[in-house]
Structure formats: C-alpha cells, structure tokens
Amino acid sequence: MRIMPLEKRGISNSRVVFGCMGIGGEWTSAPATKEDYLIAEKAVEAALSIGITMFDHADIYKRGKSESVFGEILKKRPDLRDQIILQSKCGIRFQDDVNPQRFDFSKGHIINSVDGILGRLGVEHLDVLLLHRPDPLMEPEEIAEAFNQLRSAGKVRHFGVSNMTSAQMRFIQNSLPVPLVVNQLEMSLASLDWVEQGILVNQKAGVGINFADGILEHCQMADVQIQAWGPLAQGKFSGRVIEDAPDTIKKTAALVQKMANEKESTPESIVLGWLMKHPARIQPVIGTSSAERVLACQDAVRISEIMTREEWYTLLESSRGARMP
C-alpha cells in the first residue's frame, strides 16, 4: 500500500488532519469566550484520541482567534507541541476601512504573517506553512526570499500551497531550493470536480468543470501531499437535515447510511474513507468543532482499506446523479 507523501518525507503520518477554522468563536473582533475555549479543548482532545496528530490553521481563521485559542491549549499542555505537527496558512488580507480584500505574497507580508502566527500559537516554529490562495501579483523570487529567510531563522520547516493549479505550483517551485510539500484543495463526495476533470475528458459535459487539469497527477508525481478541505461536505451525507436538498444528496445520504450500517461504522467515516481510497493518498482536513463528530471520523482509515471498487463507484454515481460516461 502506498504511503502518504508527508509520511514519505518524514513530516507526518497522520492520515487525517484536524482543521481549526471552526474553533475560536465568531468571525468578529469579539474575544473568545470560556465556552469557546471549552469547545476547542474537547475537539482537540477528541482528535488526539483517534490518532490525529496534525493540526491545520490559517492566520485569518476567526480573525486570529483560532490560533490564539489553540495557543492556550498548548500552554496548558506544553508537552503536546512535540507530539503534533502544526500547519498554518497566510496570504489573504481582509478588507478594511481603506483597502479591499486582497491576496498578498509579498516578502514582508509573508514574514510578518508568520511572526503573528507563531505569537498567537505561542510556539517557536511551524512545521508547514501554506500560501492560502493564488496572488495574481506573486513573484516567485520574492516568495523564495521570504521562505529562505523563514527557514534559515528556524521559523518554518516546510512549505506548501492551497487552492493552486499545477502550473502555479511549478511557477513558484522553479525559484525555490526546497520542495513544496502540500496542496490543499476542496474535495469531497459532494464537490466532485476533482473527479469529473479526469473522467469527462473529450465530453461536452466536462466544459463547465471547475478544477484545473493535471493537479492530481502533478502532485502524485512530485510527491506533494494533497489535502482536502471540506471533506465532510458540511454534513450533507452524515445527518445534517437539508429539506430542500436535491434528490442526489438525499439518495446519497441514504446510501452512505446504509453502507455505514453494513460496515458497522459511521456516515462520517464512510464519506472520508471514500475520499481516502483514491490512490493519491488524499489527507482530509476535517473542519468540525464538534468533539462528537470528530470521534465519528475514527474509522475512516479502515473504511478506505475495505471499501471495494464497486462500492466506491456506487457512491460516485449516486452523488453525481448520472452514470459514468
């Protein structure tokens, strides 16, 4: 069985990542409450209890509060830092009174962002830093200068990207002395463009697919870890009641539940296991802040190993609402 690219590089063997966007309270400047801290602690403990050792952040999550709350958890458990892999992202700047929302891969912004991230988390280094969304004004040489400075200072050990095409990755990589190790993309049983891009070649139905060609293949050939954000599909197939949901969602949710019953598992583990069965060794980033839902993901690895090709295609066909071409 193929191992994950991050494991091959000796960075992490955590098959699932806990995404910290959901912790920290509201998306406002209001400080996190005691209840927000309690929810975060329970979710993190649940993640650790099922073997998750990689935690994903971004400097914008809850306007920095997600990292600050996680930092408080680390203060209470200083031994935890050496047991986990910390990843964060930078590059998105919110609109303010003067400026529009924009992306910023300038050297100064990347370095300042990392300093802010480290300060909020209360740690000396990040294991992985990702560039959050493509900056049309990015200059690879400037990005390389920032990465080199951060790496030399011991502030960041590895680098990657998020939401980028293979061409954009190669464009940046051409100026870097170290490899990009991650690309984080939206992928789930509900967001299927990553599959459709490959199967609708030479098909009119593929014209409207919103997933750039060649990302999966490039990442697999270059040993870049593909991480999936939104892998639980906002609960569409695992209990979230959506009265006006299309029939494809309802039928697929019923199929997921049936499969979970048959395999003595949970809908969450079925949905994640389906994604993880792909030979790209996709690493889901679960974004729930519910400890109960985190625990419901604990069987995902087993499901990915026992799910048959026919079961995988049955779920795909149901979700896409059409037979394979």
Side-chain angles (χ1 to χ4, degrees):
M1 181 179 294
R2 293 182 60 195
I3 64 173
M4 297 189 309
L6 283 184
E7 186 174 4
K8 187 182 297 186
R9 295 181 186 277
I11 299 172
S12 174
N13 63 358
S14 186
R15 291 296 309 279
V16 177
V17 178
F18 180 80
C20 297
M21 185 176 72
I23 65 174
E26 301 296 326
W27 283 84
T28 67
S29 57
T33 65
K34 290 183 178 179
E35 180 65 20
D36 295 330
Y37 284 101
L38 183 61
I39 290 172
E41 285 181 339
K42 289 181 177 179
V44 170
E45 286 301 325
L48 292 168
S49 75
I50 63 171
I52 295 176
T53 56
M54 189 168 186
F55 293 83
D56 175 74
H57 292 270
D59 58 355
I60 64 166
Y61 288 167
K62 302 300 177 69
R63 297 186 176 273
K65 290 183 292 184
S66 296
E67 290 173 334
S68 296
V69 167
F70 197 91
E72 291 300 314
I73 295 174
L74 290 177
K75 283 182 182 178
K76 292 182 179 179
R77 292 190 54 184
D79 61 309
L80 185 58
R81 178 63 187 98
D82 292 334
Q83 303 172 29
I84 63 175
I85 297 298
L86 283 177
Q87 172 177 282
S88 194
K89 299 179 285 291
C90 72
I92 297 178
R93 304 187 70 171
F94 286 136
Q95 179 179 353
D96 54 37
D97 293 338
V98 177
N99 301 299
Q101 178 153 320
R102 66 275 192 202
F103 306 145
D104 191 345
F105 289 176
S106 65
K107 177 181 177 181
H109 180 69
I110 292 173
I111 291 173
N112 289 337
S113 294
V114 169
D115 286 340
I117 292 167
L118 297 179
R120 287 186 293 274
L121 289 172
V123 298
E124 295 181 351
H125 76 274
L126 282 177
D127 296 292
V128 186
L129 173 71
L130 308 184
L131 299 176
H132 208 155
R133 285 191 178 273
D135 175 10
L137 301 180
M138 64 181 171
E139 298 186 36
E141 296 84 359
E142 187 173 4
I143 294 172
E145 289 179 6
F147 284 5
N148 287 337
Q149 183 170 324
L150 290 168
R151 189 162 173 264
S152 297
K155 294 181 178 181
V156 180
R157 293 182 175 174
H158 305 280
F159 302 90
V161 297
S162 181
N163 305 297
M164 288 201 191
T165 68
S166 56
Q168 288 168 329
M169 292 181 69
R170 290 193 299 270
F171 183 51
I172 295 173
Q173 184 66 76
N174 188 58
S175 296
L176 299 180
V178 294
L180 295 171
V181 300
V182 170
N183 191 3
Q184 194 174 110
L185 305 158
E186 183 179 15
M187 307 168 79
S188 73
L189 186 55
S191 299
L192 292 172
D193 280 358
W194 64 279
V195 180
E196 301 284 68
Q197 178 64 52
I199 64 178
L200 293 178
V201 174
N202 201 34
Q203 302 282 324
K204 288 184 179 180
V207 173
I209 298 302
N210 185 32
F211 201 84
D213 189 23
I215 300 177
L216 297 186
E217 294 79 6
H218 169 76
C219 289
Q220 289 178 83
M221 290 188 293
D223 278 335
V224 174
Q225 181 67 60
I226 297 173
Q227 294 179 343
W229 62 266
L232 290 171
Q234 295 77 48
K236 292 175 182 175
F237 307 121
S238 53
R240 178 183 170 194
V241 178
I242 309 176
E243 295 181 358
D244 59 345
D247 287 342
T248 53
I249 296 294
K250 294 178 180 178
K251 290 178 179 178
T252 305
L255 183 59
V256 167
Q257 184 62 63
K258 178 176 180 291
M259 195 174 292
N261 293 340
E262 292 172 348
K263 298 184 183 299
E264 299 182 337
S265 189
T266 63
E268 288 86 353
S269 289
I270 297 296
V271 171
L272 294 183
W274 179 85
L275 192 65
M276 295 162 69
K277 185 174 179 62
H278 192 278
R281 305 296 283 171
I282 296 164
Q283 190 183 34
V285 181
I286 58 172
T288 179
S289 60
S290 164
E292 183 179 1
R293 286 198 75 205
V294 172
L295 293 175
C297 298
Q298 65 184 317
D299 202 26
V301 174
R302 182 181 74 91
I303 295 300
S304 71
E305 294 172 346
I306 67 172
M307 182 178 289
T308 66
R309 177 183 292 265
E310 289 69 29
E311 288 171 334
W312 192 89
Y313 271 99
T314 297
L315 287 171
L316 173 61
E317 181 182 78
S318 177
S319 186
R320 70 193 302 264
R323 294 175 57 187
M324 297 296 288

